Amino acid sequence: MSVLSDYTENFGVSRPIFKLELQSDGRSISLNRHDPLHKFEPTIIEGDFLSELVASCYKEYFYISEGCYTISRHDIANSAMREIRGSIPKFLEKNLEMRSPTQSKIYRWAYRNMPTTDEFNDVLVMLYKYMRSFCDSDMKANNIEHMKNTLALLEAIMEKNNEQ
Amino acid sequence: MGVFDDKKYEELDFVSQLTRPIDSKLNEVLSLIPESIVLDFDTFKSMVGTYSYSNDLSISTAVDYLASKYAQVSLSYTERNALHKMFRFEFGGEDVIIDFEQNKIFGDIKLVKLAETTDEKVLESILGRDGIDACSSMSIYGDAFGRANEILELLGKSEKYTKTRSAYKKRDGIRRRLVEIFKANEWDIRDTELANKVGFWIRDYVTEGNLAALSNFCRLKVMTHKNQPIYSMEEVE
């Protein structure tokens, strides 16, 4: 997961400058913390799916009492990792040629029993990068060879994990 | 001064005695708050900052802050709701920008007072409300059952609540009867602070057996037979 954390190194925050909105009856004033005048947008490296994923998990928080935006790089990396872990069962659901792919052994393993160690997470990150090179954002494969290759890889990983 | 004398009523001029306006500290609080206040950055942040997860500033919050600043009083929820109708925010110009880097507001925000006195109808609606809320949360068990019945008898029109063995229904009966009394102005209490005390005396007597509270409640009840509005009474501590 340190790979994901590396993408967050250059993340900044929005400038805490807002346009105030007055309710039509004059009863309250609000500021939209999701819409500051100078919003920070994380840079996406073109062609880098991990960069795109981490950027989509970017989240900043603003509290008036603190007067500034804050981010948690750790939380952003964790959020990206959760998306990657979720992409595996999604890939299986979209690409297994079965009537009920969610009932398969491999799907249930991917949905519930994948290890949560750092080493395994690193493997998933690399696998995700590979999968996104031939899948759309919905994890539907557009290359059968690569899709079968990935299914075989996942089966092997599952078997090895079950042996342990 | 006699035990049942109403000193405040006797000091009223002839016209006030006839018109019987409701006396409330809210009018005094209102008079101490300026007609128009420009909110600078520090004031804005102080007003909102108490509720650190909120990014909105409501009139209620602003009024609470101003009452504390100009009148050195803390308002109850009911009082805040009554006063917030007397104010409005206004923007000077189109865009008002708040900058937390420079700690500045660009543009004008004003809090404008709409009236110098609180509307009589608003004051009527809040008479006794804080005291009723206090009664709504009182615990009735053990000896408190008997004391609750005594109060229900003094309040009158409460036979079905004195007969019940349910603490919840007794408490509800006291609450309902108080709401009725103030809504119909049965006791003609014309001071909001005194009206609120009724509920607090009842709570203190029922839950703790506080005899001073009972004595005050009974004195007030006697005064309701004088057929004149009640503004004040001599209390037992």
Side-chain angles (χ1 to χ4, degrees):
Chain A
M1 207 170 85
S2 61
V3 170
L4 299 175
S5 298
D6 291 343
Y7 284 99
T8 67
E9 278 308 307
N10 293 327
F11 279 4
V13 292
S14 303
R15 291 177 65 196
I17 303 171
F18 308 90
K19 184 177 165 189
L20 292 175
E21 299 289 341
L22 177 65
Q23 205 178 44
S24 57
D25 58 2
R27 306 224 59 77
S28 78
I29 296 170
S30 61
L31 62 86
N32 186 350
R33 65 184 186 275
H34 298 298
D35 191 24
L37 292 179
H38 305 281
K39 195 170 168 62
F40 174 81
E41 296 285 356
T43 311
I44 297 174
I45 303 167
E46 209 173 310
D48 186 335
F49 296 110
L50 287 181
S51 163
E52 194 183 300
L53 174 68
V54 174
S56 72
C57 295
Y58 175 85
K59 208 168 180 181
E60 57 184 354
Y61 299 92
F62 177 80
Y63 299 112
I64 282 191
S65 54
E66 289 170 33
C68 61
Y69 279 98
T70 55
I71 60 169
S72 168
R73 292 186 168 76
H74 176 74
D75 286 353
I76 293 170
N78 271 349
S79 183
M81 192 64 234
R82 277 196 299 275
E83 289 292 320
I84 289 174
R85 292 181 72 88
S87 72
I88 307 297
K90 204 173 179 183
F91 171 84
L92 292 168
E93 191 180 1
K94 295 285 179 185
N95 298 292
L96 274 176
E97 285 161 5
M98 296 169 76
R99 203 155 55 159
S100 299
T102 58
Q103 300 301 314
S104 66
K105 189 175 164 190
I106 182 105
Y107 180 92
R108 277 184 281 164
W109 170 80
Y111 190 71
R112 280 192 226 124
N113 294 327
M114 285 197 296
T116 54
T117 60
D118 285 345
E119 290 90 6
F120 194 80
N121 282 343
D122 290 341
V123 168
L124 287 182
V125 168
M126 287 191 293
L127 192 60
Y128 175 83
K129 216 170 157 179
Y130 172 56
M131 290 194 304
R132 286 291 275 120
S133 67
F134 63 88
C135 291
D136 61 21
S137 57
D138 222 21
M139 302 312 289
K140 179 70 184 164
N142 52 32
N143 182 302
I144 293 180
E145 287 299 324
H146 285 305
M147 185 262 287
K148 284 183 179 173
N149 195 27
T150 306
L151 287 175
L153 269 171
L154 284 169
E155 290 270 2
I157 293 170
M158 180 184 72
E159 292 303 331
K160 187 172 178 195
N161 177 238
N162 286 342
E163 278 168 24
Q164 289 171 353
Chain B
M1 183 175 155
V3 166
F4 301 109
D5 288 349
D6 185 345
K7 194 175 174 187
K8 219 187 216 182
Y9 177 75
E10 283 158 20
E11 286 173 0
L12 288 177
D13 57 60
F14 177 67
V15 173
S16 296
Q17 285 187 354
L18 281 181
T19 56
R20 316 138 78 94
I22 297 176
D23 196 17
S24 173
K25 81 175 184 199
L26 292 186
N27 285 331
E28 191 187 324
V29 170
L30 204 51
S31 69
L32 290 171
I33 296 174
E35 295 281 333
S36 167
I37 299 166
V38 174
L39 302 189
D40 60 16
F41 179 86
D42 289 332
T43 307
F44 183 91
K45 198 173 167 188
S46 297
M47 284 179 174
V48 178
T50 313
Y51 309 97
S52 61
Y53 295 105
S54 169
N55 294 316
D56 295 349
L57 175 60
S58 68
I59 289 276
S60 261
T61 311
V63 162
D64 201 30
Y65 173 87
L66 293 173
S68 173
K69 181 177 177 180
Y70 289 99
Q72 286 82 48
V73 295
S74 177
L75 299 175
S76 69
Y77 172 77
T78 309
E79 289 166 341
R80 253 197 327 273
N81 277 349
L83 271 192
H84 88 274
K85 294 166 188 150
M86 306 287 128
F87 292 88
R88 188 180 66 220
F89 285 120
E90 283 179 2
F91 276 6
E94 280 194 17
D95 288 347
V96 177
I97 309 288
I98 186 165
D99 186 333
F100 285 87
E101 282 178 342
Q102 297 186 58
N103 292 342
K104 273 187 182 172
I105 290 179
F106 297 95
D108 279 337
I109 305 175
K110 279 189 199 162
L111 182 63
V112 175
K113 191 163 64 172
L114 301 175
E116 280 301 320
T117 54
T118 319
D119 192 275
E120 276 283 299
K121 283 196 168 33
V122 170
L123 290 177
E124 270 174 15
S125 71
I126 66 169
L127 270 177
R129 180 47 58 183
D130 286 341
I132 293 171
D133 289 343
C135 283
S136 299
S137 58
M138 62 183 177
S139 296
I140 302 179
Y141 61 90
D143 291 343
F145 257 82
R147 293 194 289 266
N149 278 346
E150 290 171 32
I151 293 295
L152 283 165
E153 281 174 21
L154 287 168
L155 288 172
K157 301 181 189 175
S158 306
E159 292 77 22
K160 69 173 180 180
Y161 298 113
T162 53
K163 286 177 187 169
T164 183
R165 288 184 188 182
S166 160
Y168 169 80
K169 284 183 180 170
K170 281 198 194 304
R171 184 174 57 236
D172 192 49
I174 291 172
R175 187 192 63 81
R176 281 173 182 270
R177 188 64 193 112
L178 283 175
V179 169
E180 253 174 46
I181 285 167
F182 286 110
K183 196 172 176 183
N185 199 26
E186 283 180 29
W187 291 357
D188 208 7
I189 299 174
R190 304 305 276 173
D191 182 281
T192 55
E193 278 70 60
L194 181 61
N196 281 332
K197 283 180 185 177
V198 174
F200 285 110
W201 289 332
I202 290 173
R203 180 202 65 185
D204 290 348
Y205 176 63
V206 170
T207 57
E208 297 163 16
N210 184 325
L211 293 176
L214 176 66
S215 171
N216 288 329
F217 178 69
C218 293
R219 283 187 187 197
L220 180 71
K221 190 77 182 20
V222 166
M223 287 173 75
T224 64
H225 296 289
K226 287 170 80 173
N227 290 324
Q228 73 183 37
I230 304 170
Y231 282 86
S232 67
M233 58 171 263
E234 193 182 317
E235 293 178 39
V236 172
E237 296 295 325

